[in-house]
Amino acid sequence: MTTMTHEGYLATVELDEDAGLFHGEVINTRDVLTFQGRTLDELKAAFADTVADYLDWCRERGKTPEKPFSGTFSVRVAPDIHRRAAAAAAREGKSLNGFVSDVLERAAG
């Protein structure tokens, strides 16, 4: 599946060959945000318009838009992995959060 980003919002994109359209859906908000286009340029413009419309909609209602990512998430791992990660962090003189953040940064590129 192909993804796109705009102002921190992440969307998946699928091709509907029968209709000759690309369909996109923002996946990092609980609100339902979709868009479509026949070309890549149309798709990018529709994505930008959708995000702008969402932000306007929130502003008009006094609602705080969902931030695409807060920077905080919880990960459940086996106790042995937790122990080994904590030990590796200590060997590097880092907190477990700092260590995991560095590992994720390297893995995510």
Side-chain angles (χ1 to χ4, degrees), residues 2 12-16 19-25 34-37 43:
T2 301
T12 57
V13 177
E14 294 183 5
L15 172 64
D16 180 341
L21 286 171
F22 293 101
H23 295 279
E25 180 177 357
T34 61
F35 54 96
Q36 63 185 27
L43 189 68

Side-chain angles (χ1 to χ4, degrees), residues 33-52:
L33 306 175
T34 61
F35 54 96
Q36 63 185 27
R38 293 196 180 279
T39 66
L40 180 57
D41 287 339
E42 281 183 16
L43 189 68
K44 287 179 179 180
F47 186 14
D49 289 345
T50 295
V51 170

Side-chain angles (χ1 to χ4, degrees), residues 74-94:
S74 178
V75 177
R76 299 199 190 289
V77 296
D80 184 56
I81 294 172
H82 190 174
R83 179 188 55 75
R84 289 184 292 143
R91 282 192 300 274
E92 291 187 19
K94 298 178 181 177

Side-chain angles (χ1 to χ4, degrees), residues 31-105:
D31 295 309
V32 178
L33 306 175
T34 61
F35 54 96
Q36 63 185 27
R38 293 196 180 279
T39 66
L40 180 57
D41 287 339
E42 281 183 16
L43 189 68
K44 287 179 179 180
F47 186 14
D49 289 345
T50 295
V51 170
D53 289 347
Y54 170 66
L55 297 174
D56 288 344
W57 181 87
C58 289
R59 197 170 15 262
E60 289 169 4
R61 286 159 182 76
K63 177 184 175 187
T64 302
E66 277 191 63
K67 291 183 180 178
F69 295 100
S70 67
T72 302
F73 67 99
S74 178
V75 177
R76 299 199 190 289
V77 296
D80 184 56
I81 294 172
H82 190 174
R83 179 188 55 75
R84 289 184 292 143
R91 282 192 300 274
E92 291 187 19
K94 298 178 181 177
S95 68
L96 183 56
N97 281 339
F99 176 78
V100 170
S101 180
D102 289 348
V103 169
L104 288 173
E105 176 68 30

